[in-house]
Amino acid sequence: MGKVVLGVSVGVAVAACAVAALVVGRRVKSRKKWNRVVGVLKELEESCETTVGRLRQVVDAMAVEMHAGLASEGGSKLKMLLTFVDNLPSGSEKGIFYALDLGGTNFRVLRVELGGQRSDLDPDVEQQPIPEQLMTGRSEDLFDFIASSLYQFVEKANDSVQSPVTKELGFTFSFPVKQTSVSSGVLIKWTKAFAIEDMVGKEVAGALQQALARKGLNMRVAVLVNDTVGTLALGHYHDEDTVAAVIIGTGTNACYWERTDAIIKCQGLLTTSGSMVVNMEWGNFWSSHLPRTAYDIELDAESPNPNDQGFEKMISGMYLGDIVRRVILRMSEESDIFGPVSSRLYMPFALRTPAMAAMHEDDSPELIEVARILKDVLDIPDVPLKVRKLVVKICDVVTCRAARLAAAGIVGILKKIGRDGSGGITGGRSRSDVKMRRTAVAVEGSLYTQYTMFREYLHEALHEILGEDIARHVVINVTEDGSGTGAALLAASHSSSSSGSVDNIQLV
Ligand code: BGC
């Protein structure tokens, strides 16, 4: 009997040990997997690091590249394009003006009534998404679609469409354009999600003008501007200290007010103001100081424009979600903390930046929004809280890098024009010798306006780079619909009835 009891006890003990060993084994295994994932996160954090020292290197590189791009055509990846805008709206403009804003996922038509006194503008705005097939089809189809929308908009506004009086239009076209005048220019290349091959190298305003004629709409493209230039115009209209404008939306770019004698590649450029707005096309900026990860390299290689728009691919709304998707995919492949690898994780752009921002800013204790987006968007259900926290951290790292790099870009411009308190690119004077003037930068784009964490990281970095003493002289103003409204303002100041400055620009 005793033997039997002993035998049973030993058996139970052995079984208990086996179970314990199994549990321990599983724990060890799962800890290993977790450690692997934490390793991936650590690696991401390290390669995205943007210490203030590194940001200052980016600032210097930006200022140097700006010089190079102004010195000679093709002298830098920064195109530093002439805009032929040498005067910004004064506030005395009068009349009804239209604008058409094309460049992101949506396009907008606007109508602005100007009373001649700098006042709050209250434009009528209509926005609609651009059907995806039009972004990659034939240019004529795209322009016909735009012209039809504009036609309907004018009709709705009760402005006679066929009136013999020519209506003036500001056309915001947010892609790199080599301007030949303030109202004409040739598309250099597409960026973001656009790829209409037959349009590259073609006259942009001309294509729209022809579509307007086909539609029978008596309207003249008075100005062809980049969205940054529209934003600068509106920013300056409200705040005369505005010297630069930045867009951080689907794509990213900046323009600023430059002295014509600094535009060396265009010797003998004469303007009445002695200055001109330069469209930097900073999305294409590149420097070895940029903190680049394996995910950026992959994203770039798989994009339709490899080796192009490197800065944009680290900063703008078109790409941030996709960087995060790539990190989650890698983690999911390395361990099963997300369950079996979801096929959605292999789909480029399956995770859009607005969804990523919503996960980042989920402040519910259980991270309910993160769980919902992982399930609904990426088809990853039942993710434990610990893993959801990890996802938030990935979003944070990617967004923090983007916002801080954008801040460095802004300071790069300030440095180029001697408004960063350092005495300009050639330096020489100490910070304390320099009397800082109030300097305003107009900013627009959903990443900045709708993504609080992004905005906060950007401001924090501006203060870190500039130091509090200088930073308090630098104001960031958000403009609303500046890219469009600003174009209408510029159409007004360059309209056929105004004494616009376009005739005063000479290339000798
Ligand atoms: C374009 C710029 C534009 C920016 C913001 C970039 O992809 O190249 O021209 O200003 O997006 O819309």
XYZ file of all heavy atoms in Angstrom, residues 386-422:
269
model
N -0.060 45.464 -23.499
C 1.393 45.678 -23.538
C 1.846 45.919 -24.997
O 2.678 46.778 -25.276
C 2.021 44.395 -22.984
C 3.495 44.359 -22.895
C 3.884 43.231 -21.970
C 4.959 42.375 -22.585
N 5.428 41.278 -21.778
N 1.268 45.166 -25.913
C 1.652 45.280 -27.324
C 1.066 46.564 -27.932
O 1.695 47.232 -28.746
C 1.210 44.020 -28.101
C 1.557 44.137 -29.573
C 1.849 42.781 -27.494
N -0.141 46.925 -27.484
C -0.742 48.177 -27.974
C 0.129 49.368 -27.565
O 0.311 50.310 -28.304
C -2.145 48.349 -27.380
C -3.175 47.512 -28.114
C -4.515 47.676 -27.471
N -4.855 46.504 -26.696
C -5.712 46.442 -25.680
N -6.336 47.532 -25.300
N -5.949 45.332 -25.058
N 0.683 49.258 -26.345
C 1.571 50.338 -25.874
C 2.804 50.446 -26.764
O 3.303 51.538 -27.051
C 1.995 50.085 -24.424
C 0.888 50.377 -23.446
C 1.394 50.277 -22.021
C 0.261 50.590 -21.048
N 0.521 50.105 -19.693
N 3.256 49.294 -27.182
C 4.424 49.253 -28.065
C 4.115 49.962 -29.399
O 4.937 50.716 -29.925
C 4.745 47.780 -28.329
C 6.056 47.461 -28.983
C 7.163 47.572 -27.952
C 6.032 46.033 -29.519
N 2.913 49.752 -29.901
C 2.509 50.380 -31.165
C 2.499 51.909 -31.000
O 2.979 52.652 -31.863
C 1.118 49.859 -31.611
C 0.574 50.672 -32.770
C 1.201 48.388 -31.976
N 1.975 52.368 -29.863
C 1.953 53.814 -29.614
C 3.385 54.358 -29.618
O 3.667 55.425 -30.169
C 1.252 54.128 -28.266
C 1.341 55.604 -27.931
C -0.201 53.678 -28.316
N 4.268 53.588 -29.024
C 5.675 54.021 -28.954
C 6.278 54.145 -30.369
O 7.006 55.097 -30.664
C 6.458 52.999 -28.095
C 7.875 53.377 -27.837
C 7.994 54.599 -26.940
C 9.402 55.158 -27.017
N 9.522 56.533 -26.613
N 5.950 53.186 -31.239
C 6.481 53.256 -32.622
C 5.994 54.552 -33.282
O 6.774 55.277 -33.896
C 6.005 52.049 -33.473
C 6.430 50.736 -32.825
C 6.549 52.128 -34.896
C 5.777 49.510 -33.474
N 4.686 54.823 -33.134
C 4.125 56.044 -33.738
C 4.855 57.270 -33.191
O 5.170 58.208 -33.924
C 2.639 56.183 -33.421
S 1.645 54.812 -33.988
N 5.132 57.220 -31.899
C 5.778 58.363 -31.261
C 7.173 58.606 -31.836
O 7.535 59.733 -32.164
C 5.862 58.105 -29.745
C 6.382 59.306 -29.006
O 5.696 60.348 -29.039
O 7.489 59.233 -28.431
N 7.928 57.538 -31.991
C 9.308 57.677 -32.490
C 9.292 58.265 -33.907
O 10.045 59.191 -34.225
C 10.029 56.302 -32.484
C 11.388 56.394 -33.140
C 10.156 55.777 -31.058
N 8.402 57.736 -34.742
C 8.369 58.151 -36.154
C 7.905 59.611 -36.273
O 8.481 60.405 -37.023
C 7.455 57.181 -36.956
C 7.210 57.694 -38.360
C 8.085 55.795 -36.994
N 6.886 59.968 -35.505
C 6.364 61.337 -35.576
C 7.324 62.351 -34.965
O 7.498 63.452 -35.486
C 5.000 61.401 -34.853
O 4.100 60.628 -35.623
C 4.477 62.811 -34.734
N 7.951 61.945 -33.877
C 8.879 62.854 -33.201
C 10.031 63.201 -34.151
O 10.395 64.369 -34.308
C 9.379 62.174 -31.933
S 10.539 63.162 -31.029
N 10.567 62.202 -34.828
C 11.658 62.462 -35.778
C 11.182 63.411 -36.877
O 11.860 64.380 -37.224
C 12.142 61.147 -36.391
C 13.214 61.347 -37.448
C 13.602 60.069 -38.160
N 12.558 59.542 -39.016
C 12.749 58.670 -40.011
N 13.971 58.220 -40.246
N 11.750 58.233 -40.740
N 9.999 63.147 -37.414
C 9.477 63.967 -38.511
C 9.340 65.429 -38.084
O 9.806 66.341 -38.778
C 8.120 63.425 -38.948
N 8.727 65.639 -36.938
C 8.454 67.007 -36.484
C 9.762 67.751 -36.191
O 9.907 68.936 -36.515
C 7.576 66.964 -35.236
N 10.707 67.045 -35.608
C 11.976 67.698 -35.262
C 12.777 68.029 -36.520
O 13.448 69.058 -36.592
C 12.777 66.819 -34.282
C 12.122 66.797 -32.906
C 12.768 65.802 -31.969
N 14.096 66.161 -31.508
C 14.374 67.019 -30.532
N 13.386 67.631 -29.898
N 15.631 67.268 -30.175
N 12.687 67.166 -37.520
C 13.401 67.472 -38.772
C 12.759 68.671 -39.463
O 13.451 69.524 -40.034
C 13.396 66.262 -39.705
C 14.265 65.088 -39.263
C 14.165 63.938 -40.257
C 15.742 65.514 -39.113
N 11.425 68.749 -39.408
C 10.753 69.902 -40.006
C 11.200 71.185 -39.295
O 11.459 72.212 -39.939
C 9.240 69.737 -39.922
N 11.335 71.107 -37.973
C 11.798 72.275 -37.205
C 13.207 72.670 -37.660
O 13.506 73.860 -37.856
C 11.788 71.965 -35.716
N 14.061 71.674 -37.858
C 15.431 71.968 -38.298
C 15.400 72.633 -39.672
O 16.178 73.561 -39.947
C 16.260 70.688 -38.341
N 14.500 72.179 -40.528
C 14.364 72.797 -41.847
C 14.006 74.275 -41.720
O 14.584 75.137 -42.396
N 13.069 74.567 -40.839
C 12.639 75.964 -40.652
C 13.826 76.810 -40.166
O 14.094 77.899 -40.677
C 11.455 76.046 -39.654
C 10.225 75.363 -40.259
C 11.157 77.501 -39.282
C 9.030 75.230 -39.318
N 14.556 76.270 -39.200
C 15.695 77.051 -38.690
C 16.757 77.212 -39.791
O 17.430 78.248 -39.876
C 16.297 76.416 -37.410
C 17.457 77.258 -36.895
C 15.237 76.272 -36.329
N 16.864 76.206 -40.667
C 17.798 76.317 -41.804
C 17.466 77.550 -42.641
O 18.362 78.306 -43.042
N 16.188 77.769 -42.903
C 15.781 78.954 -43.678
C 16.132 80.225 -42.902
O 16.689 81.178 -43.451
C 14.257 78.940 -43.967
C 13.859 77.674 -44.704
C 13.840 80.188 -44.734
C 12.362 77.539 -44.935
N 15.809 80.218 -41.609
C 16.088 81.414 -40.802
C 17.590 81.704 -40.817
O 18.027 82.858 -40.897
C 15.595 81.225 -39.368
C 14.087 80.975 -39.201
C 13.717 80.866 -37.724
C 13.273 82.092 -39.856
N 18.363 80.652 -40.788
C 19.819 80.835 -40.807
C 20.248 81.454 -42.142
O 21.057 82.380 -42.171
C 20.502 79.486 -40.611
C 21.999 79.583 -40.662
C 22.682 78.421 -40.003
C 24.128 78.818 -39.754
N 24.699 78.237 -38.590
N 19.682 80.936 -43.225
C 20.061 81.429 -44.553
C 19.784 82.936 -44.670
O 20.536 83.662 -45.311
C 19.282 80.642 -45.624
C 19.341 81.202 -47.040
C 20.725 81.049 -47.647
C 20.830 81.670 -49.027
N 20.763 83.141 -49.041
N 18.691 83.390 -44.074
C 18.360 84.816 -44.222
C 18.760 85.636 -42.987
O 18.331 86.771 -42.815
C 16.855 85.026 -44.549
C 15.966 84.380 -43.485
C 16.511 84.464 -45.923
C 14.471 84.652 -43.683
N 19.580 85.012 -42.151
C 20.111 85.763 -41.008
C 19.087 86.072 -39.938
O 19.180 87.086 -39.249
N 18.112 85.194 -39.785
C 17.104 85.429 -38.740
C 17.130 84.346 -37.649
O 16.139 84.125 -36.982
C 15.701 85.465 -39.350
C 15.440 86.549 -40.372
C 15.231 87.900 -39.688
N 14.774 88.890 -40.645
C 13.523 89.342 -40.721
N 12.608 88.887 -39.909
N 13.194 90.249 -41.619
N 18.252 83.663 -37.522
C 18.309 82.633 -36.479
C 19.165 83.095 -35.307
O 19.482 82.325 -34.415
C 18.900 81.322 -37.042
C 20.378 81.469 -37.358
O 20.792 82.588 -37.749
O 21.128 80.493 -37.197
N 19.549 84.368 -35.360
C 20.321 84.915 -34.251
C 21.791 84.581 -34.319
O 22.554 84.935 -33.433
N 22.221 83.901 -35.396
C 23.629 83.500 -35.454
C 24.443 84.411 -36.369
O 25.623 84.197 -36.562
C 23.746 82.064 -35.961
O 23.457 82.030 -37.347
